Amino acid sequence: MDKVPAGGEFDLLVTMIAMVDREGHCLLANSALENAVGQSRRALQRSSVFDWLIDPAPLHEALLVVSTNEVASSRFSASLRRQSGGGSELPVHVVVSQPEPTGPLLLEMLEVEQQTRLDREERAHGLAQANKELVRNLAHEIKNP
């Protein structure tokens, strides 16, 4: 198996990241994942990623199809178990990919609220660009009827 990146490479990301093997053993977890689930990195690395989700079936399927190169990546929605906060659930979008052939699998988990906010910001930016273009066209028409 190829070398797993050092945890520090992913620690500055807001996205929750884990590197796992094909059997679902956690090889690496970043600080965003630690904070979200309320467990230490060491505890996460001793656990199975299937224990992190309320319904692990989609993750089983995603790890299988990505590790066998049936698809390049797999996406699904899930609920992450939190150890802090009384064992509450955190809705996430999960993306499973394999950056290097035969290497570990990369799990990216993005909070649904954060994804919704990003989508909203993208739409607002698109609307602002459209308004800017409209004003530019109107100004041109006024100057050059």
Side-chain angles (χ1 to χ4, degrees):
M1 186 172 283
D2 295 346
K3 181 180 175 271
V4 175
E9 294 179 27
F10 296 120
D11 277 342
L12 298 177
L13 299 176
V14 175
T15 306
M16 296 169 272
I17 301 287
M19 298 292 285
V20 302
D21 63 16
R22 294 175 187 199
E23 290 78 35
H25 300 109
C26 179
L27 306 172
L28 175 140
N30 73 345
S31 58
L33 181 58
E34 277 184 283
N35 294 334
V37 297
Q39 284 191 332
S40 71
R41 187 173 308 205
R42 183 170 287 171
L44 290 170
Q45 290 175 342
R46 286 193 309 253
S47 66
S48 168
V49 294
F50 303 119
D51 296 335
W52 302 351
L53 301 178
I54 302 301
D55 178 15
L59 182 57
H60 277 286
E61 177 67 21
L63 291 180
L64 177 66
V65 297
V66 172
S67 67
T68 58
N69 294 320
E70 288 181 39
V71 296
S73 67
S74 180
R75 298 169 184 264
F76 60 94
S77 294
S79 293
L80 195 61
R81 287 183 215 268
R82 293 178 131 169
Q83 299 302 316
S84 61
S88 61
E89 299 177 14
L90 177 65
V92 293
H93 291 293
V94 181
V95 179
V96 179
S97 59
Q98 192 169 25
E100 298 178 16
T102 72
L105 298 158
L106 176 67
L107 290 179
E108 299 174 70
M109 293 168 273
L110 188 64
E111 290 182 56
V112 170
E113 291 174 8
Q114 183 179 5
Q115 182 66 44
T116 303
R117 186 175 63 248
L118 289 173
D119 292 344
R120 193 176 307 126
E121 287 174 4
E122 283 181 19
R123 281 193 305 275
H125 179 70
L127 184 59
Q129 288 298 102
N131 286 338
K132 184 177 178 180
E133 186 68 26
L134 177 65
V135 169
R136 185 179 313 146
N137 289 340
L138 286 173
H140 176 74
E141 288 300 321
I142 291 171
K143 285 169 50 177
N144 304 312

